[in-house]
Amino acid sequence: MRRTVILICFACLFAGGCTKQSTKDDVFESSFVTLTDAVPDAILEIRYYGTYNFVGARIDGYLQPTALLTKEAAAALKQVSDYVMAKGYRLKIYDAYRPQSGVDHFVRWAANVPDTAMKAYFYPDLDKSVLFEQDYIMAKSGHTRGSTVDLTLFDMRTEKEVDMGGTFDWFGPESHPDFCGNPETGQYTGDNSKSPKGRSITEQQFRNRMILREAMLSHGFKPLDSEWWHFTLKDEPFADTYFNHPVTQ
């Protein structure tokens, strides 16, 4: 009898765990959309599906080169897309929803300090050992909640990316929205004193960043003070939920 009771208890616990995971998956399936279904004019360059990223390998959880967002974030991004299209631009997406398995991959990579294959491209001014303490790599990401997007602008006239004066995922103050200018006023100052190597961006490059910023902020997104490309929906529907559903169509 005692063995039977124990087995029943284990079965109940197991079933409860399955139900909890199933419920979370159901919420994901009903609350997320493929970004290009909602924003058909967006261009995708999903960096974590390929190898041109700071890790140098495809990131765990990225099963297809697509992008997912919550329905609310996607609807707001459609408004941004329409707005910039009228100005001659399209949105180019580097990343959107990111599964927790992808974040865990970043953490494992950062802990492997000798692996610096992509240092020259993304963090030449930093020793890899400081990535945790300087918050370039963290165990949790807003992307995993599903309403954050990394993006830039594509100029339809030149058929090229708009020159933002720095690459996506560059680890350094050069990526900050206030680098060489004041993002609150849009004023270019040219102040590059925060750059450890005296790097700089031009007035036009700063203004290009501000075009993207103004479009996103005026349509319900909020910025990040360390990345010009990163924006989160102000009223995100899952502010405390971190999903681990793979990125797939």
Side-chain angles (χ1 to χ4, degrees):
M1 177 66 71
R2 179 179 175 82
R3 183 168 177 238
T4 302
V5 171
I6 291 174
L7 288 173
I8 291 173
C9 288
F10 273 116
C12 290
L13 287 171
F14 181 75
C18 290
T19 301
K20 184 177 180 180
Q21 183 58 48
S22 177
T23 300
K24 196 170 183 180
D25 287 342
D26 291 343
V27 169
F28 188 96
E29 294 289 353
S30 63
S31 303
F32 282 67
V33 295
T34 300
L35 188 152
T36 48
D37 286 347
V39 191
D41 295 311
I43 301 169
L44 301 187
E45 186 184 334
I46 307 304
R47 291 285 184 87
Y48 301 139
Y49 179 79
T51 59
Y52 181 55
N53 57 59
F54 59 84
V55 174
R58 182 180 297 177
I59 303 305
D60 290 354
Y62 286 79
L63 304 188
Q64 291 181 316
T66 189
L68 309 177
L69 276 179
T70 61
K71 292 178 178 179
E72 294 84 351
L77 196 65
K78 176 62 166 65
Q79 295 180 7
V80 177
S81 177
D82 292 345
Y83 179 77
V84 299
M85 286 276 289
K87 297 178 179 292
Y89 302 106
R90 292 173 67 183
L91 299 179
K92 185 171 185 179
I93 312 299
Y94 294 127
D95 194 32
Y97 159 73
R98 182 183 306 158
Q100 184 60 45
S101 61
V103 177
D104 295 343
H105 192 164
F106 292 166
V107 170
R108 292 195 306 274
W109 167 82
N112 182 15
V113 176
D115 180 2
T116 56
M118 302 301 285
K119 178 179 173 65
Y121 303 99
F122 296 100
Y123 54 103
D125 303 338
L126 293 175
D127 188 287
K128 189 179 176 183
S129 63
V130 306
L131 297 184
F132 283 119
E133 64 185 72
Q134 295 190 17
D135 292 337
Y136 288 108
I137 301 296
M138 293 181 284
K140 293 288 186 181
S141 169
H143 281 275
T144 310
R145 302 194 298 263
S147 295
T148 294
V149 60
D150 293 336
L151 75 173
T152 190
L153 296 173
F154 181 89
D155 190 323
M156 292 190 288
R157 180 182 59 83
T158 63
E159 297 185 348
K160 295 180 179 179
E161 277 189 30
V162 173
D163 185 359
M164 299 295 189
T167 185
F168 162 67
D169 264 354
W170 176 275
F171 294 170
E174 298 86 356
S175 294
H176 297 184
D178 65 355
F179 183 63
C180 287
N182 184 339
E184 302 303 321
T185 64
Q187 180 183 9
Y188 176 76
T189 63
D191 180 10
N192 66 340
S193 59
K194 294 181 180 179
S195 173
K197 298 293 185 180
R199 303 179 193 275
S200 188
I201 60 173
T202 67
E203 182 172 3
Q204 186 58 57
Q205 290 166 337
F206 177 78
R207 295 197 184 285
N208 290 342
R209 294 183 181 191
M210 294 302 104
I211 293 172
L212 175 62
R213 182 185 177 92
E214 186 273 330
M216 296 298 286
L217 269 59
S218 63
H219 290 90
F221 288 87
K222 59 185 179 181
L224 184 68
D225 61 8
S226 58
E227 298 173 349
W228 58 260
W229 57 80
H230 176 118
F231 298 89
T232 300
L233 188 69
K234 287 182 181 177
D235 299 320
E236 57 179 317
F238 300 106
D240 300 308
T241 304
Y242 295 85
F243 294 93
N244 196 31
H245 195 283
V247 176
T248 186
Q249 193 76 15

